[in-house]
Amino acid sequence: MALKSLKKKRRIQVIALAAVSLVVAVALIGYAFQDGINFFRSPSQVVESPPKSNEVFRIGGLVEEGTLLRGQGEVISFNVTDGGASVPVVFSGILPDLFGENQGMVGTGRYVNGVFEASEILAKHDETYMPKEVVDALKEQGVYVEPES
Amino acid sequence: MSIWEYANPVKFIRTTDKVLPWIAGLAAVALVIGLGWGFFFTPDDYRQGSTVKIIYIHVPSAFLAINAWLMMLVASLIWIVRRHHVSALAARAAAPVGAVMTLIALITGAIWGQPMWGTWWEWDPRLTSFLILFLFYLGYMALWEAIENDDTAADLTSILCLVGSVFALLSRYAVNFWNQGLHQGSSVMRAGAATGDTTERVSNVFAVPLFISIAGFALLFIALVFLRTQTEIRARRMRALLARERQA
């Protein structure tokens, strides 16, 4: 009986040690990745330190209101902003359903002469779910407020 | 009356046999109500249109994919500390169910992402850790099969489960850690019904059937794990009897 409980104690010690070392390892990796895991750059970062024109990267932010221009042939242009800086974007291709003014987007492409030439545009979803009829009714009454994203 | 009495295989089978029809029945009712309501009696979303309806499969399956792994972690730790075989077998029984849930979440997510985001797949932190979780499920099941000795297999898979729980937690909280990436944050916790908040971001019209679907998926998971654990117990007993017969 004494031997059995000693074994059990040893098992608990081993598993606790394993758990602690795992947590430490994950914390170290997370710490090391703190800057490196950015999925996209913000317009402010791009304006501050413009990447070379041959570097492919992602830019993310909101589509600035009143800047979205469609129907110039195949090209669509708009400005992407994070509140601080704003970067003009050109793109030719199919836009996702959720794309629109004041909505989040992530674009892949290159920064050439102050214009972001996107090869791919993704829309971000802002975790807001509302019935269409309700929003239409609110808009009709003029009391609809865009949720902040 | 201690909870550890249910670690006795006979007691476990007897008890689960009694509650299994009830859990399975409740799961069926909740799934029919939740999914039926969600698919046919909810309005279109103001931006997503009817694509929003995939939420009734995607969110519950993703929720269970993560929680199944955490359940396996708890069961594995109980095995390591207290050496209850039923606990190790319950972890083993849950793995394929969790793996299927992970696959469903990945597939429905891709189907939703193509029209909404504009891409089937993106190496976003949350999506990536979810894919790694799926690979961990496959590795976990393979490790159980690969080791002859039952106790050694239970020990080693328990350690694998401990390591994999990093990705189970990461896929849930990656958004909060880095505050970046493509995948939106958790919508469910922002529902008015969950927080009592009046400025709801997820309208109750969508949230209520969603919660019923989640309950249905969770009950289905419990029923399947009970059933599969019973099968594992009986299979192991049969192997033991056959081995004894050969020796005699």
Side-chain angles (χ1 to χ4, degrees):
Chain A
M1 191 60 215
L3 186 67
K4 204 180 164 195
S5 75
L6 182 70
K7 268 184 151 178
K8 181 174 166 182
K9 208 169 155 192
R10 189 51 41 85
R11 282 201 305 272
I12 296 175
Q13 285 168 347
V14 168
I15 204 77
L17 200 68
V20 167
S21 44
L22 191 67
V23 167
V24 171
V26 171
L28 284 175
I29 294 172
Y31 181 72
F33 268 144
Q34 220 166 21
D35 307 319
I37 205 149
N38 282 351
F39 186 69
F40 51 76
R41 295 178 208 177
S42 67
S44 303
Q45 283 173 313
V46 172
V47 169
E48 215 169 89
S49 52
K52 282 184 199 139
S53 63
N54 57 3
E55 186 185 338
V56 176
F57 66 99
R58 287 202 191 90
I59 193 166
L62 289 181
V63 179
E64 203 175 322
E65 199 171 357
T67 59
L68 179 61
L69 273 177
R70 294 175 196 255
Q72 324 156 58
E74 286 184 331
V75 183
I76 295 144
S77 73
F78 59 91
N79 287 2
V80 57
T81 178
D82 58 354
S86 128
V87 170
V89 179
V90 292
F91 174 66
S92 54
I94 300 164
L95 289 170
D97 285 7
L98 284 183
F99 186 87
E101 289 189 347
N102 279 326
Q103 300 298 337
M105 60 73 71
V106 178
T108 313
R110 292 175 305 161
Y111 192 60
V112 186
N113 300 326
V115 177
F116 187 79
E117 294 176 356
S119 55
E120 188 188 30
I121 298 272
L122 304 177
K124 254 181 86 93
H125 186 239
D126 59 2
E127 67 226 43
T128 308
Y129 297 79
M130 284 217 274
K132 194 170 173 298
E133 289 92 347
V134 174
V135 174
D136 288 347
L138 286 177
K139 275 183 179 159
E140 235 166 64
Q141 295 162 21
V143 292
Y144 177 68
V145 190
E146 278 276 335
E148 285 171 41
S149 43
Chain B
M1 184 71 181
S2 149
I3 190 170
W4 303 117
E5 278 184 30
Y6 294 99
N8 177 307
V10 179
K11 174 108 181 155
F12 177 87
I13 288 184
R14 203 178 295 149
T15 314
T16 47
D17 256 345
K18 249 181 260 163
V19 294
L20 201 51
W22 292 98
I23 298 178
L26 270 176
V29 170
L31 281 175
V32 168
I33 293 179
L35 294 180
W37 185 352
F39 288 151
F40 302 112
F41 303 108
T42 54
D44 285 356
D45 181 68
Y46 75 123
R47 283 178 62 213
Q48 302 171 58
S50 52
T51 320
V52 68
K53 292 182 195 298
I54 211 160
I55 196 178
Y56 299 109
I57 297 178
H58 180 73
V59 172
S61 56
F63 171 84
L64 271 170
I66 295 168
N67 285 317
W69 193 275
L70 297 182
M71 174 248 139
M72 284 157 57
L73 175 67
V74 172
S76 300
L77 289 179
I78 292 174
W79 156 256
I80 293 271
V81 174
R82 296 192 62 112
R83 298 271 135 177
H84 293 313
H85 288 274
V86 172
S87 188
L89 289 178
R92 179 182 186 171
V97 186
V100 170
M101 290 293 175
T102 317
L103 196 61
I104 293 174
L106 285 170
I107 292 172
T108 52
I111 294 171
W112 183 87
Q114 168 58 23
M116 290 296 128
W117 286 339
T119 180
W120 296 101
W121 181 260
E122 199 57 52
W123 296 101
D124 151 282
R126 196 172 197 185
L127 271 62
T128 310
S129 49
F130 218 80
L131 179 67
I132 297 174
L133 179 64
F134 179 64
L135 297 177
F136 258 94
Y137 269 117
L138 297 185
Y140 180 90
M141 290 187 281
L143 191 58
W144 264 109
E145 295 300 325
I147 299 168
E148 199 90 342
N149 184 302
D150 285 334
D151 286 5
T152 315
D155 282 341
L156 293 179
T157 52
S158 296
I159 301 299
L160 184 72
C161 188
L162 184 69
V163 177
S165 49
V166 170
F167 293 94
L169 291 173
L170 201 59
S171 55
R172 177 172 289 169
Y173 296 113
V175 186
N176 307 22
F177 281 155
W178 287 292
N179 198 25
Q180 256 211 344
L182 193 62
H183 198 292
Q184 59 269 28
S186 166
S187 313
V188 175
M189 287 304 128
R190 289 171 176 251
T195 55
D197 190 355
T198 44
T199 58
E200 59 196 41
R201 306 201 67 167
V202 180
S203 171
N204 280 342
V205 178
F206 300 120
V208 173
L210 177 59
F211 284 129
I212 298 174
S213 299
I214 293 178
F217 270 75
L219 287 166
L220 176 69
F221 173 77
I222 295 170
L224 286 174
V225 169
F226 276 174
L227 195 66
R228 291 182 49 84
T229 310
Q230 287 187 357
T231 312
E232 295 280 354
I233 293 171
R234 290 189 172 121
R236 187 174 278 188
R237 186 179 299 158
M238 200 176 71
R239 277 205 307 276
L241 287 174
L242 283 174
R244 200 181 301 164
E245 205 168 71
R246 270 198 302 273
Q247 275 181 349

